[in-house]
Amino acid sequence: MKITKDMLIGEAVQQGNTDAIARVLLGMGMHCLGCAIAHGETIEQAAQVHGVDVDDLVDKLNEAAAE
């Protein structure tokens, strides 16, 4: 399954190589993986809060998922 910007963070982490996906999120300053927000916030919402380009983030997450 492809990661999309409207997917919940908790859902996105389960779409492939979990460790690689987590590294991308953490590398962009998104330390929300262990947070309750990860289960109710979308990739797009998190990108907005952290000032990250959502399309770039989604591309990097899909690359990581495929590793």
Side-chain angles (χ1 to χ4, degrees), residues 6-36:
D6 61 333
M7 187 174 281
L8 298 176
I9 296 168
E11 212 177 5
V13 172
Q14 301 173 19
Q15 299 306 312
N17 186 334
T18 302
D19 291 336
I21 293 169
R23 281 193 301 272
V24 169
L25 291 170
L26 293 171
M28 295 193 135
M30 297 182 178
H31 300 262
C32 48
L33 295 176
C35 175

